[in-house]
Amino acid sequence: MRLPLLAVALLSATAAAAAPSYGPELEGFDYPYPVRRHTFASQGQDLAMAYMEVTPERPNGRTVVLLHGKNFCAATWGETAAVLARAGYRVLALDQVGFCKSTKPAGYQFSFSQLATNTHGLLAALGIGRATIVGHSMGGMLAARYALMFPEAVDRLVMVDPLGLEDWQAKGVPYQTIDAAYATERKTSAAGIKAYQLKFYYDDQWKPEYDRWVEMQAGLYAGPGAERVAWNQAQTSDMIFTQPVVHEFDRLRVPTVLMVGTKDRTAPGANRAAPALAETLGRYDRLGPEVAARITGARLVMFEGLGHSPQVEAPDRFHETLLRELAAR
């Protein structure tokens, strides 16, 4: 059901008033599985990556690593992890440094190469030599970088509505400084998060089950670590904008599946672009086929009528497709 604008505004106001407050490492927000921590040194700091591991009752010998998007956390993959484990996969769902239940460093040079290296180190510590890497949104960009850096460690790459299927800066979207992005991040509210996701993720159609993910994100901005959270988010926004992977897709040499929702219109920075340009950005219905054609042997899945988060919007449909693609050889 498409909600009238007034109803959306009222719902957003209610969400803002009821937004919880969580700690700087998402203390107070429950994950569906026990959270473990991988400690390591990086850029002169002691850091920790939080992760969940789900072990199957009847292992099939394969491991799937789930990488979250910028506005998501490992917890968002909870249902997917359960489905995969029932099918025999060992599953790891990670929180990257700067996000969710992982360390929020005071000073850190964020790059996809650094996050990929951190991820590779965690898998090595767990004795995982090869895995299927599944990344959603920003996690899709990270998954692609991981596959480019460590192809021998990837048996399959799955990108779900990944960011970076186009180079926004090259198309003319103005740059935003980290300071300016930080100022914007400090204004983040549950109402703003919900309005953004409603427009770009869910084609103006909201379901009550989406509220949990709005609260998860908004609670970090409302908590005692809000300044650090906002700074890391500004840094990672800069990383996404200035470190495109789209120009390197033709170098991928691992079996690749690209999944996109035809209603997805996500385009970071589109709000800074001229209206005529903004209208052309984030057209996943067009970008999906264009990019898949550039990746040797890639399989393209188009989710007709779905937006940016098919695993949230239509989990049964998404999981059926994901299991089929993972089983294909």
Side-chain angles (χ1 to χ4, degrees):
M1 178 180 68
R2 191 176 298 272
L3 297 175
L5 291 178
L6 178 59
V8 171
L10 291 173
L11 286 172
S12 295
T14 301
S21 172
Y22 298 128
E25 294 184 3
L26 206 50
E27 295 92 341
F29 184 90
D30 292 332
Y31 274 29
Y33 296 98
V35 176
R36 303 178 182 180
R37 295 175 72 79
H38 167 64
T39 58
F40 62 105
S42 177
Q43 299 183 20
Q45 303 177 65
D46 292 327
L47 305 175
M49 286 179 67
Y51 68 97
M52 298 182 293
E53 180 173 2
V54 187
T55 304
E57 292 185 5
R58 297 179 178 82
N60 63 11
R62 296 176 63 187
T63 299
V64 176
V65 178
L66 302 172
L67 304 180
H68 64 80
K70 185 175 185 293
N71 296 327
F72 301 86
C73 295
T76 318
W77 285 117
E79 189 172 350
T80 303
V83 169
L84 289 169
R86 286 196 295 270
Y89 296 93
R90 178 186 183 184
V91 184
L92 296 173
L94 319 180
D95 278 340
Q96 295 298 322
V97 167
F99 293 88
C100 308
K101 288 188 178 291
S102 292
T103 303
K104 310 295 184 303
Y108 202 66
Q109 183 172 330
F110 282 92
S111 70
F112 283 112
S113 295
Q114 178 68 72
L115 298 186
T117 299
N118 297 349
T119 298
H120 193 253
L122 187 157
L123 298 186
L126 294 175
I128 300 171
R130 283 175 63 83
T132 292
I133 309 297
V134 179
H136 167 241
S137 192
M138 180 200 76
M141 288 185 81
L142 175 57
R145 179 58 60 197
Y146 187 95
L148 288 165
M149 291 178 68
F150 308 108
E152 71 288 346
V154 179
D155 60 29
R156 183 157 301 199
L157 168 66
V158 181
M159 295 183 288
V160 182
D161 287 270
L163 298 183
L165 295 185
E166 57 189 335
D167 185 338
W168 308 288
Q169 189 164 224
K171 287 188 172 183
V173 176
Y175 175 71
Q176 180 183 48
T177 67
I178 293 178
D179 291 320
Y182 171 71
T184 299
E185 291 285 351
R186 289 290 285 144
K187 299 175 184 176
T188 299
S189 66
I193 294 168
K194 186 169 186 175
Y196 176 85
Q197 293 189 4
L198 183 68
K199 177 180 179 181
F200 291 103
Y201 291 3
Y202 303 118
D203 193 34
D204 288 329
Q205 300 181 67
W206 193 262
K207 298 177 183 177
E209 52 264 38
Y210 303 160
D211 288 334
R212 171 171 164 78
W213 310 122
V214 171
E215 293 173 359
M216 176 184 69
Q217 186 183 2
L220 280 169
Y221 287 94
E227 291 185 4
R228 185 73 59 80
V229 168
W231 184 251
N232 283 174
Q233 288 296 301
Q235 290 175 295
T236 51
S237 290
D238 186 84
M239 173 186 74
I240 291 168
F241 190 74
T242 62
Q243 299 176 28
V245 71
V246 64
H247 306 298
E248 300 174 70
F249 282 141
D250 57 353
R251 295 201 299 114
L252 284 170
R253 292 295 181 268
V254 302
T256 300
V257 181
L258 175 60
M259 299 181 173
V260 299
T262 61
K263 294 290 187 179
D264 192 352
R265 295 295 181 267
T266 308
N271 61 316
R272 304 192 299 271
L277 173 59
E279 284 296 317
T280 70
L281 301 174
R283 290 297 304 264
Y284 278 69
D285 54 336
R286 300 171 183 171
L287 293 169
E290 290 174 6
V291 169
R294 294 179 46 211
I295 302 173
T296 302
R299 296 170 62 90
L300 175 65
V301 175
M302 301 283 284
F303 287 114
E304 187 64 38
L306 297 186
H308 188 63
S309 304
Q311 76 277 28
V312 175
E313 190 176 6
D316 291 344
R317 184 174 165 191
F318 172 77
H319 293 138
E320 179 183 2
T321 303
L322 178 62
L323 290 175
R324 183 179 68 244
E325 292 297 329
L326 293 186
R329 285 295 183 182

